[in-house]
């Protein structure tokens, strides 16, 4: 084949426009080593600008089911497992409204652009679809997708199958059924939400922007931050988490001095009876755990749990561990300067 793998991906991203009605059933599995840690079946119904997704968790059982319905104006989500329902207005959010497969592969291309090297492997027929097989090799060891192989349908741009490996974790996704001429029953785009389940506004769960003083009041103590000499603190937000886990979670976003996003710092009260297991390194003299799949470092200090999630491939964990030694208490910072950021 004379065409390059990059050109194949670009052309695939241009396909799929105009596919307005379809039904799909796909299966996703996640392995950690040889252990199956996630397994779900997903059904997708799309017709005339409406979309419904039904997800069944195969490990948790029959009741571990969630449904999401999108009519282009709003999304309603029903979590059967936890007996909760939410709604979100999306009329002005083009990213959420998008339904076509063209945008799906565009998202993959956007995530891998510049971070992966694409190589054409061959062609394969899957579910009567003629696909091209692309090997996307990560240029860095800490990218979210890692090394990925994609099977892309030539006509529609659908990613029919995808396998990625990252830090000993393998993620597999494959369509089992695809129908571009579905005959949907009348109730296909309805949700069976039981009486008594209140549909709550998801925007009410959006994080609150706070000052450092406000964050201290919510956490009821000072907390450690990175020095402003090292990084720029862009966002200070509090997430109010409810459900099986209820807590106030502080999320900080750090940028480099050149204004490039570098990492997130999450802080919340250390969960009782949930010590960090299998600690494999030390940070600030504390036992810490590195999770390669999400590129994060977690440790407990003075009653708070800290988690650094690296999002810039140019910063290594050894560098951030070294810089963490110079973290300072929020109460000792020039908070007026920080709060103006």
């Amino acid at each position: 084949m004379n065409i390059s793998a990059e050109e194949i991906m670009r052309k695939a991203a241009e396909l799929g426009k105009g596919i307005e009605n379809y039904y799909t059933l796909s299966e996703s599995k996640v392995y950690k080593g040889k252990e199956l840690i996630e397994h779900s079946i997903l059904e997708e119904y799309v017709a005339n600008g409406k979309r419904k997704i039904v997800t069944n968790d195969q490990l948790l059982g029959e009741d571990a089911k969630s449904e999401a319905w999108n009519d282009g104006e709003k999304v309603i989500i029903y979590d059967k497992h936890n007996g909760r329902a939410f709604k979100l207005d999306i009329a002005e959010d083009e990213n959420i409204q998008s339904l076509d497969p063209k945008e799906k592969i565009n998202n993959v291309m956007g995530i891998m652009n510049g971070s992966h090297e694409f190589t054409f492997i061959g062609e394969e027929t899957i579910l009567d679809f003629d696909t091209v097989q692309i090997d996307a090799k990560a240029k860095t060891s800490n990218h979210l997708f890692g090394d990925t192989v994609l099977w892309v349908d030539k006509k529609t741009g659908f990613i029919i199958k995808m396998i990625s490996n990252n830090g000993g974790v393998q993620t597999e996704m494959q369509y089992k059924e695809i129908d571009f001429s579905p005959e949907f029953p009348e109730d296909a785009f309805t949700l069976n939400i039981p009486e008594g389940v209140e549909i709550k506004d998801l925007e009410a769960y959006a994080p609150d922007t706070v000052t450092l003083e406000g964050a201290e009041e919510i956490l009821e103590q000072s907390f450690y931050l990175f020095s402003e000499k090292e990084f720029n603190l862009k966002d200070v937000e509090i997430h109010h988490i409810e459900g099986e886990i209820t807590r106030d979670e502080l999320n900080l976003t750090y940028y480099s001095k050149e204004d490039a996003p570098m990492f997130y710092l999450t802080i919340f009260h250390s969960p009782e009876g949930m010590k960090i297991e299998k600690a494999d390194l030390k940070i600030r003299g504390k036992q810490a755990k590195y999770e390669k799949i999400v590129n994060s470092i977690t440790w407990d200090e003075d009653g708070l749990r800290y988690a650094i999630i690296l999002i810039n491939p140019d910063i290594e964990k050894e560098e951030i561990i070294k810089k963490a030694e110079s973290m300072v208490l929020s109460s000792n910072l020039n908070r007026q300067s920080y709060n103006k950021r």
Side-chain angles (χ1 to χ4, degrees):
M1 178 174 282
N2 294 326
I3 190 171
S4 69
E6 289 86 348
E7 186 64 20
I8 291 173
M9 294 292 285
R10 281 193 291 269
K11 285 183 177 296
E14 293 303 317
L15 299 172
K17 192 131 176 111
I19 299 177
E20 297 179 352
N21 301 339
Y22 57 87
Y23 166 81
T24 66
L25 184 147
S26 61
E27 182 177 29
S28 296
K29 295 180 179 180
V30 179
Y31 294 89
K32 190 170 185 178
K34 295 183 179 181
E35 180 186 2
L36 179 64
I37 59 174
E38 293 182 25
H39 183 195
S40 63
I41 301 293
L42 185 148
E43 293 181 274
E44 186 176 19
Y45 305 78
V46 178
N48 303 318
K50 296 181 180 180
R51 182 187 191 188
K52 180 180 173 182
I53 296 176
V54 180
T55 305
N56 288 275
D57 191 313
Q58 302 299 290
L59 297 183
L60 293 180
E62 195 172 313
D63 289 335
K65 177 179 179 180
S66 66
E67 299 180 348
W69 176 68
N70 176 343
D71 66 357
E73 298 288 332
K74 62 182 177 299
V75 173
I76 297 177
I77 302 168
Y78 172 47
D79 177 1
K80 181 179 179 180
H81 182 61
N82 294 300
R84 299 182 299 178
F86 305 94
K87 68 176 180 178
L88 176 66
D89 292 328
I90 60 168
E92 298 181 0
D93 194 326
E94 296 180 356
N95 292 324
I96 297 180
Q97 288 188 65
S98 177
L99 304 179
D100 59 63
K102 173 178 177 286
E103 291 303 323
K104 294 179 182 179
I105 197 168
N106 269 332
N107 289 338
V108 173
M109 285 289 290
I111 294 172
M112 293 184 174
N113 184 34
S115 63
H116 285 67
E117 182 177 346
F118 297 102
T119 304
F120 172 73
I121 299 177
E123 301 182 10
E124 184 178 346
T125 300
I126 303 176
L127 294 177
D128 294 327
F129 291 92
D130 293 327
T131 72
V132 288
Q133 189 176 356
I134 302 295
D135 181 37
K137 188 74 68 176
K139 297 178 182 179
T140 59
S141 61
N142 57 0
H143 193 276
L144 176 63
F145 269 86
D147 294 333
T148 303
V149 181
L150 304 106
W151 287 257
V152 183
D153 178 41
K154 294 179 182 179
K155 292 183 178 180
T156 64
F158 259 76
I159 299 175
I160 304 294
K161 181 179 177 181
M162 182 168 69
I163 299 176
S164 65
N165 288 277
N166 188 356
V169 175
Q170 178 167 300
T171 302
E172 303 175 358
M173 186 287 296
Q174 181 172 350
Y175 282 104
K176 300 298 184 179
E177 296 180 31
I178 299 177
D179 185 354
F180 289 120
S181 302
E183 294 183 4
F184 292 124
E186 292 184 2
D187 62 349
F189 294 94
T190 61
L191 297 182
N192 299 315
I193 301 178
E195 292 185 13
V197 176
E198 180 185 357
I199 302 177
K200 298 182 179 180
D201 192 338
L202 197 58
E203 290 186 355
Y205 292 85
D208 296 325
T209 299
V210 295
T211 62
L212 294 180
E213 294 95 327
E216 288 175 342
E217 291 179 5
I218 292 172
L219 294 178
E220 299 181 329
Q221 67 180 88
S222 299
F223 46 87
Y224 284 97
L225 296 173
F226 283 86
S227 168
E228 59 182 337
K229 296 180 181 179
E230 299 283 359
F231 303 102
N232 289 337
L233 176 60
K234 285 295 185 77
D235 297 308
V236 182
E237 297 179 330
I238 287 285
H239 290 251
H240 306 286
I241 299 175
E242 297 181 2
E244 293 185 12
I245 298 176
T246 299
R247 67 177 179 232
D248 291 319
E249 187 174 286
L250 176 62
N251 286 274
L252 312 170
T253 305
Y254 280 95
Y255 278 58
S256 69
K257 291 301 181 179
E258 292 74 33
D259 206 35
M262 300 301 288
F263 59 89
Y264 302 116
L265 175 63
T266 297
I267 307 171
F268 53 90
H269 287 285
S270 301
E272 293 185 8
M274 295 179 63
K275 293 184 178 180
I276 296 174
E277 298 182 352
K278 299 180 179 179
D280 51 8
L281 55 83
K282 282 193 174 184
I283 186 168
R284 297 180 50 77
K286 312 295 182 183
Q287 295 293 321
K289 175 67 177 178
Y290 175 65
E291 291 287 352
K292 187 172 183 178
I293 188 171
V294 291
N295 205 19
S296 68
I297 304 168
T298 305
W299 78 98
D300 289 329
E301 186 167 354
D302 296 338
L304 295 176
R305 177 155 295 178
Y306 293 79
I308 299 171
I309 304 173
L310 302 175
I311 57 175
N312 191 311
D314 293 331
I315 187 169
E316 300 289 341
K317 73 175 187 293
E318 290 78 14
E319 180 184 353
I320 202 68
I321 289 172
K322 182 177 180 180
K323 291 184 180 298
E325 294 300 321
S326 60
M327 292 176 76
V328 295
L329 275 173
S330 55
S331 56
N332 294 335
L333 289 173
N334 180 357
R335 291 185 288 189
Q336 184 177 0
S337 172
Y338 263 72
N339 292 336
K340 287 180 179 179
R341 295 185 183 276

